[in-house]
Amino acid sequence: EMFVIRQTRGHGIHKPRQLNAALSITTAFVPSGRDRPYEDVLGEDGYQRYKYEGMDPGLSTNRSLRAAMDAGLPLVYFIGVRRGIYRAIHPVFIINESPESHEFVLGFMRGEIGLDLQSLTLTERRYALRTTRQRLHQPIFRERVLHAYSSACAVCHLKHVELLDAAHIIEDNKDDGDPVISNGLALCKIHHAAFDRNLLGITPDSVVKINRQLMHEIDGPMLRHGLQEMHNKVLFSPRRLTEKPDRYRLDIRFQSFLNAS
């Protein structure tokens, strides 16, 4: 289960004095404008990396992660999503170590411990990447995007969080599809589905457009109020410049909408 918690201490590797193995690892929040996509610490094999504390592999905290790996013990991974707020991902496992890179390799199944990462097939690497995105990147992306948009749909302002998604402007399996706020939009379920199917487009100037065919259909109140009345509406966007939807990405996606129309 993944949930948001408050944590007041710093970041790093947590090991109680009376134990040999670590219980948790933490990646601290970095303010918008200085953060990097999670792909910066994602290996070509699709598995997430976690850096040593310092450079010495013999440091007690680094030894505690090695002990967790050797014993096949699960850890909790706390990831900062904004100042003072962390999302807990559990369980994660230390499945391998790269001493030359001063880092450990994270997986989500105990059975992956000791996996020969060099021998993975292309299909296996793609599966690992998809799993990492689903279990690690997407929950963090959702948390940050919804917070930036004040937990409201950018098109219709619906504020029921359970009915909201963090939509990618550029899909995460394509170039420029980084899991960063400027590549995200908070959308309700219906507008997310319409956006994904090019029934709803957004110009680089953040103006909502509805597919021409839909504009001439007569179906009922949902079509009329939920989609047709959104045509030419200005998108609600975050206040911070670094969190606003990226014009370049919007332009690429809008061309896809125009081609489909």
Side-chain angles (χ1 to χ4, degrees), residues 107-238:
F108 300 99
M109 294 183 290
R110 184 180 282 107
E112 294 175 311
I113 295 175
L115 187 67
D116 182 2
L117 300 174
Q118 301 298 320
S119 66
L120 294 178
T121 66
L122 179 59
T123 299
E124 289 171 332
R125 291 198 300 270
R126 286 174 175 169
Y127 177 79
L129 176 60
R130 185 167 64 250
T131 300
T132 300
R133 283 172 171 163
Q134 290 173 346
R135 297 288 300 273
L136 191 60
H137 298 172
Q138 294 305 329
I140 307 308
F141 177 69
R142 171 183 167 82
E143 188 68 36
R144 288 179 170 173
V145 168
L146 293 192
H147 178 68
Y149 283 81
S150 301
S151 297
C153 176
V155 174
C156 68
H157 299 279
L158 181 71
K159 291 183 177 293
H160 288 271
V161 175
E162 62 274 21
L163 297 177
L164 298 179
D165 294 331
H168 289 79
I169 298 173
I170 302 295
E171 295 91 331
D172 63 356
N173 61 347
K174 295 183 178 179
D175 293 340
D176 297 313
D178 304 318
V180 292
I181 296 174
S182 59
N183 186 42
L185 297 167
L187 297 176
C188 67
K189 301 290 184 181
I190 188 169
H191 291 135
H192 187 187
F195 184 65
D196 281 351
R197 290 158 180 78
N198 285 320
L199 298 175
L200 180 152
I202 301 169
T203 73
D205 295 321
S206 295
V207 178
V208 177
K209 298 292 183 180
I210 301 299
N211 179 282
R212 288 178 296 177
Q213 293 181 342
L214 281 185
M215 290 300 296
H216 294 93
E217 287 185 14
I218 299 175
D219 186 29
M222 179 57 71
L223 176 63
R224 183 170 70 256
H225 300 302
L227 290 171
Q228 292 170 339
E229 290 182 3
M230 300 299 108
H231 188 62
N232 286 332
K233 183 175 181 179
V234 177
L235 196 76
F236 165 74
S237 63

Side-chain angles (χ1 to χ4, degrees), residues 36-105:
R36 299 178 301 170
Y38 284 110
E39 275 71 11
D40 286 350
V41 288
L42 188 65
E44 293 182 358
D45 47 38
Y47 285 96
Q48 189 80 10
R49 265 49 178 185
Y50 189 83
K51 290 293 184 182
Y52 285 174
E53 181 173 338
M55 303 293 285
D56 181 7
L59 201 65
S60 61
T61 47
N62 296 327
R63 293 202 314 270
S64 72
L65 289 184
R66 200 170 295 119
M69 176 179 67
D70 292 340
L73 298 175
L75 298 101
V76 181
Y77 190 6
F78 294 107
I79 303 179
V81 294
R82 55 186 186 273
R83 194 176 304 279
I85 302 294
Y86 289 73
R87 180 173 278 269
I89 309 295
H90 178 271
V92 296
F93 296 89
I94 307 296
I95 66 170
N96 220 315
E97 182 178 0
S98 299
E100 67 283 356
S101 303
H102 305 98
E103 62 191 13
F104 293 96
V105 182

